[in-house]
Amino acid sequence: MAFKLFDYQSSGKGVSKSAPQKKPFFKYWEIFGRKFWKLIELNMLYVLFCIPIITFGPATAALTHVMRKFILEQPCFVFDEFFTAFKKNFKQGTIMGAIDIIFAIGFMVGIPMYKYWAEQNSMIYIPFVICISCLIVFFMMHFYIYLMISSTNLNMKQIIKNSFYLVSLGIKQSLWSLLVSLIVTVMMYLFLPYSLFILPFWPLSFICFVTCFNCYPVIRKHVIQP
């Protein structure tokens, strides 16, 4: 392999390896059914902690930490785990949140600008498509970034580098998570302004649940237990 992922010592006990393994489809719905009301509680908690925009990163790390516990079927007291993970990952979460804001501004400026120029000169469609592709890859990297922030002791440089490679190493999981995220986002947009009443209770934790379920096994395979 031409690159090396930074690894980590342990992901916690979780479910015993000797226990019978359920098919992912059935396991997903079983956990989702058991944790349905907890997902609503988590969504509300996440929105509350994101009200000061500067806490978006730590709040996302905390949400991801609790969701990983759900996926691993580990005991979890939602508020205690969320608040503890929020404090523990505050520094890295804040750094990543700042990076997100910078990139978001760059994409919001760059994409419309390239689109406008491309309408005048078709050659500009090349950097326009490149910009769109970078946005998609950067978005999918987040399926792994916050999971590694909340479950490893890697530094930010290592986490970002790993997440870039994991997008392709777990391409099936990455694309499936992207599809679900896009469907939920489009549905929320189409049903505006009514969907704003749903936002505090459901969609954010649901997207996080899906991405953690899909992508944490990729991290466990390539980073935690390489």
Side-chain angles (χ1 to χ4, degrees), residues 45-47 49-50 55-64 82 86 90 93 146:
L45 197 58
Y46 178 64
V47 170
F49 272 71
C50 281
T55 60
F56 163 78
T60 304
L63 174 68
T64 305
F82 187 98
F86 180 86
F90 189 85
Y146 285 101

Side-chain angles (χ1 to χ4, degrees), residues 3-225:
F3 56 86
K4 182 180 186 295
L5 292 178
F6 297 95
D7 57 28
Y8 173 69
Q9 56 202 10
S10 173
S11 62
K13 293 182 179 179
V15 178
S16 171
K17 291 182 180 180
S18 61
Q21 296 296 311
K22 300 184 180 77
K23 294 290 186 181
F25 178 83
F26 298 107
K27 183 178 180 181
Y28 170 87
W29 289 109
E30 181 181 319
I31 297 174
F32 180 79
R34 288 204 316 267
K35 301 297 184 181
F36 179 79
W37 295 109
K38 293 293 184 182
L39 293 180
I40 294 177
E41 181 182 343
L42 262 176
N43 200 99
M44 295 171 64
L45 197 58
Y46 178 64
V47 170
L48 179 65
F49 272 71
C50 281
I51 290 176
I53 190 65
I54 60 171
T55 60
F56 163 78
T60 304
L63 174 68
T64 305
H65 168 81
V66 177
M67 212 62 72
R68 181 178 65 91
K69 301 274 282 189
F70 286 175
I71 299 304
L72 294 175
E73 300 182 85
Q74 295 177 342
C76 180
F77 296 97
V78 171
F79 183 81
D80 289 343
E81 291 281 355
F82 187 98
F83 190 64
T84 299
F86 180 86
K87 292 188 295 182
K88 179 182 178 182
N89 301 298
F90 189 85
K91 181 179 178 180
Q92 286 191 324
T94 301
I95 293 172
M96 193 61 222
I99 293 173
D100 284 340
I101 291 172
I102 293 170
F103 271 78
I105 294 173
F107 285 125
M108 284 190 294
V109 172
I111 291 176
M113 182 177 66
Y114 281 127
K115 185 176 185 298
Y116 174 77
W117 287 344
E119 291 172 353
Q120 316 301 320
N121 182 352
S122 60
M123 289 299 295
I124 306 298
Y125 274 111
I126 296 174
F128 175 69
V129 170
I130 292 174
C131 191
I132 294 290
S133 301
C134 289
L135 172 61
I136 294 172
V137 171
F138 183 69
F139 182 79
M140 289 194 292
M141 286 170 62
H142 285 68
F143 301 155
Y144 304 96
I145 288 173
Y146 285 101
L147 271 169
M148 283 188 282
I149 287 176
S150 63
S151 62
T152 73
N153 58 5
L154 300 175
N155 61 46
M156 283 307 304
K157 182 178 178 180
Q158 294 168 331
I159 287 172
I160 292 173
K161 179 180 179 181
N162 279 358
S163 67
F164 178 76
Y165 291 128
L166 289 171
V167 167
S168 57
L169 288 173
I171 189 63
K172 179 181 177 181
Q173 294 87 340
S174 301
L175 290 176
W176 173 243
S177 299
L178 176 65
L179 177 62
V180 172
S181 300
L182 289 176
I183 290 174
V184 173
T185 302
V186 169
M187 293 297 291
M188 293 293 292
Y189 176 77
L190 291 176
F191 286 97
L192 283 172
Y194 308 106
S195 57
L196 293 177
F197 295 99
I198 301 174
L199 183 64
F201 304 103
W202 179 73
L204 304 173
S205 63
F206 175 72
I207 290 173
C208 187
F209 178 80
V210 171
T211 56
C212 287
F213 187 88
N214 286 335
C215 299
Y216 184 70
V218 180
I219 294 174
R220 183 166 51 190
K221 177 181 178 180
H222 294 287
V223 179
I224 294 175
Q225 298 171 348

